[in-house]
Amino acid sequence: MRSQGQVRFIKVSSRVQMIGAGAVAALALTWLGSVTTMAVSQYLASRDRLALLDREAKVTSAESRVSEYRDDLKGVATDLEKRQDFLEKMAQAHLGDLPADAKAGETVSDSSGEAAKTVGKVSALLPEAAGLARIEARQLAFAESLTRAADRRAAAAAEKIRKLGLNPGMMLASLDDRSAMGGPLISLSTGRNGSLDQRFQRLGVSLARMDALERGLAGIPQVMPASLEYISSGFGYRADPFTGGAAYHAGLDFRGPIGAPIYAAAAGTVSFAGVRSGYGHCIEIDHGNGLMTRYAHMSGYRAQTGQKVAAGQVVGLIGNSGRSTGPHLHFEVRINDRPLNPRPFLEAAAHVFQEPSHSPAGQR
């Protein structure tokens, strides 16, 4: 510093400098900590306030609903009736028109008469609950209509299965097979005491039956597995191409060029993709209910184990691998590992399945 025209220097030791720097740093940290603490406190306060408001909103919503039940039973009945309208419209949009009336000889109950009596009695004794009684009657009628619709679809699927030469009971056997099931118990009931109305139980059984038959139908071979010139060897007895002796042929052989596509004959899951003795490179597709198709002597794979495939989807390429005298596809249909003649399925499919396939069905 300057004093009386002379420049004087003040020496500050390194120790003092360190103490000063530490003090400044401590002040800065203190200020930063204070600011951070304030920010965290504000955030926590805001979060707690929002959580409280959210809880209050839920409580208010529940309380308001209870109040509506207590003060406006007619209004609640109107709300429930609108919900029933919504359910019926959605069912009609996705399932189609439901049968209007129960038909003679059907096993489905018809509760319309008793339901009408219930509505009349409730209306006379508890006028304020008449709306709810009418909704109950609509629900029973709706459940019975759904049951009839499910039975109608199940019957149609069963008829198609018979035309393909199979027993629909084979498809329904999966409903009673409990050999590979599990999971937590989640009971279904329609009453507060845990009971299940028989009419709703009947609906559940009908829907399960419809689902089993339609899934089984989808797994039956319905698509030509390849676009080939002709069948070079049929199912059953033949002279073995190598030895010339009597032999049993468990499938159909389709002649075709190497690299020609092979199509899945039905929807399913690839259960095997690899080499089997005599078959060479092959793919096996599980269609459920014990039904399996096999595609052998391939030159390439277009699907892998565990993959779900649709009917007509390319799963492999024609080849000459395994015990084979020339490029062709060996195609098998098996039920519970018992070989069946694939030809009836493929020939009947064009007449049984109404929807056109994108695959080269009918070509040989």
Side-chain angles (χ1 to χ4, degrees), residues 84 173 188 213 280 282 315 328-329 336:
Q84 183 67 21
L188 290 175
L213 288 171
C282 73
V315 296
H328 72 286
L329 165 67
N336 297 323

Side-chain angles (χ1 to χ4, degrees), residues 67-86:
S67 177
E68 289 177 8
Y69 269 87
R70 184 183 296 113
D71 301 335
D72 188 8
L73 193 60
K74 183 178 179 180
V76 172
T78 300
D79 290 343
L80 294 178
E81 190 168 8
K82 287 184 178 297
R83 293 180 185 180
Q84 183 67 21
D85 287 338
F86 176 86

Side-chain angles (χ1 to χ4, degrees), residues 1-145:
M1 69 179 182
R2 183 179 296 276
S3 176
Q4 296 180 356
Q6 296 181 353
V7 178
R8 300 176 182 272
F9 296 93
I10 300 177
K11 294 183 179 180
V12 179
S13 65
S14 58
R15 184 169 179 273
V16 173
Q17 291 179 11
M18 293 177 62
I19 293 174
V24 172
L27 290 173
L29 289 174
T30 302
W31 174 81
L32 182 60
S34 300
V35 172
T36 303
T37 301
M38 292 176 60
V40 171
S41 299
Q42 291 178 357
Y43 167 76
L44 293 176
S46 176
R47 185 193 63 180
D48 293 341
R49 179 173 59 83
L50 292 175
L52 179 61
L53 289 176
D54 183 58
R55 288 195 298 271
E56 289 177 348
K58 291 180 180 178
V59 171
T60 300
S61 177
E63 289 177 348
S64 64
R65 193 63 179 156
V66 171
S67 177
E68 289 177 8
Y69 269 87
R70 184 183 296 113
D71 301 335
D72 188 8
L73 193 60
K74 183 178 179 180
V76 172
T78 300
D79 290 343
L80 294 178
E81 190 168 8
K82 287 184 178 297
R83 293 180 185 180
Q84 183 67 21
D85 287 338
F86 176 86
L87 292 174
E88 292 177 4
K89 289 178 180 177
M90 290 299 100
Q92 184 180 31
H94 295 279
L95 297 178
D97 293 332
L98 301 180
D101 301 306
K103 297 179 181 179
E106 285 188 321
T107 58
V108 183
S109 60
D110 180 7
S111 301
S112 57
E114 287 300 318
K117 293 180 182 179
T118 300
V119 172
K121 291 182 179 180
V122 171
S123 300
L125 299 175
L126 297 169
E128 66 276 13
L132 294 178
R134 285 192 293 270
I135 294 173
E136 180 183 3
R138 285 185 63 184
Q139 286 182 344
L140 292 176
F142 185 52
E144 290 169 353
S145 293

Side-chain angles (χ1 to χ4, degrees), residues 9-323:
F9 296 93
I10 300 177
K11 294 183 179 180
V12 179
S13 65
S14 58
R15 184 169 179 273
V16 173
Q17 291 179 11
M18 293 177 62
I19 293 174
V24 172
L27 290 173
L29 289 174
T30 302
W31 174 81
L32 182 60
S34 300
V35 172
T36 303
T37 301
M38 292 176 60
V40 171
S41 299
Q42 291 178 357
Y43 167 76
L44 293 176
S46 176
R47 185 193 63 180
D48 293 341
R49 179 173 59 83
L50 292 175
L52 179 61
L53 289 176
D54 183 58
R55 288 195 298 271
E56 289 177 348
K58 291 180 180 178
V59 171
T60 300
S61 177
E63 289 177 348
S64 64
R65 193 63 179 156
V66 171
S67 177
E68 289 177 8
Y69 269 87
R70 184 183 296 113
D71 301 335
D72 188 8
L73 193 60
K74 183 178 179 180
V76 172
T78 300
D79 290 343
L80 294 178
E81 190 168 8
K82 287 184 178 297
R83 293 180 185 180
Q84 183 67 21
D85 287 338
F86 176 86
L87 292 174
E88 292 177 4
K89 289 178 180 177
M90 290 299 100
Q92 184 180 31
H94 295 279
L95 297 178
D97 293 332
L98 301 180
D101 301 306
K103 297 179 181 179
E106 285 188 321
T107 58
V108 183
S109 60
D110 180 7
S111 301
S112 57
E114 287 300 318
K117 293 180 182 179
T118 300
V119 172
K121 291 182 179 180
V122 171
S123 300
L125 299 175
L126 297 169
E128 66 276 13
L132 294 178
R134 285 192 293 270
I135 294 173
E136 180 183 3
R138 285 185 63 184
Q139 286 182 344
L140 292 176
F142 185 52
E144 290 169 353
S145 293
L146 286 176
T147 303
R148 286 191 289 273
D151 287 346
R152 183 173 57 188
R153 285 177 51 172
E159 180 62 21
K160 290 181 179 180
I161 291 172
R162 291 190 189 95
K163 288 181 178 180
L164 290 171
L166 293 178
N167 182 3
M170 177 192 68
M171 309 300 177
L172 296 175
S174 61
L175 294 176
D176 299 322
D177 183 9
R178 303 182 183 182
S179 60
M181 294 184 176
L185 174 63
I186 303 177
S187 300
L188 290 175
S189 65
T190 56
R192 286 171 293 179
N193 60 354
S195 62
L196 179 61
D197 188 298
Q198 291 184 355
R199 290 160 293 197
F200 288 87
Q201 184 175 12
R202 175 72 170 80
L203 170 60
V205 171
S206 292
L207 290 173
R209 185 173 185 271
M210 177 195 74
D211 181 63
L213 288 171
E214 290 186 341
R215 281 190 293 105
L217 180 62
I220 296 176
Q222 56 193 268
V223 173
M224 273 293 186
S227 177
L228 306 174
E229 298 177 19
Y230 56 86
I231 297 177
S232 57
S233 183
F235 179 86
Y237 173 86
R238 73 172 181 179
D240 184 79
F242 288 92
T243 67
Y248 178 77
H249 190 224
L252 296 179
D253 285 345
F254 297 88
R255 179 184 298 175
I258 290 181
I262 298 172
Y263 303 95
T269 303
V270 177
S271 56
F272 178 82
V275 177
R276 288 201 183 281
S277 177
Y279 292 100
H281 295 287
C282 73
I283 273 183
E284 297 171 359
I285 301 178
D286 180 9
H287 305 283
N289 301 303
L291 197 150
M292 180 266 283
T293 53
R294 176 178 289 154
Y295 313 77
H297 306 308
M298 302 192 312
S299 62
Y301 302 95
R302 291 296 181 268
Q304 57 186 356
T305 303
Q307 179 179 340
K308 294 186 180 298
V309 296
Q313 181 175 334
V314 177
V315 296
L317 303 176
I318 294 294
N320 190 32
S321 59
R323 194 171 184 268

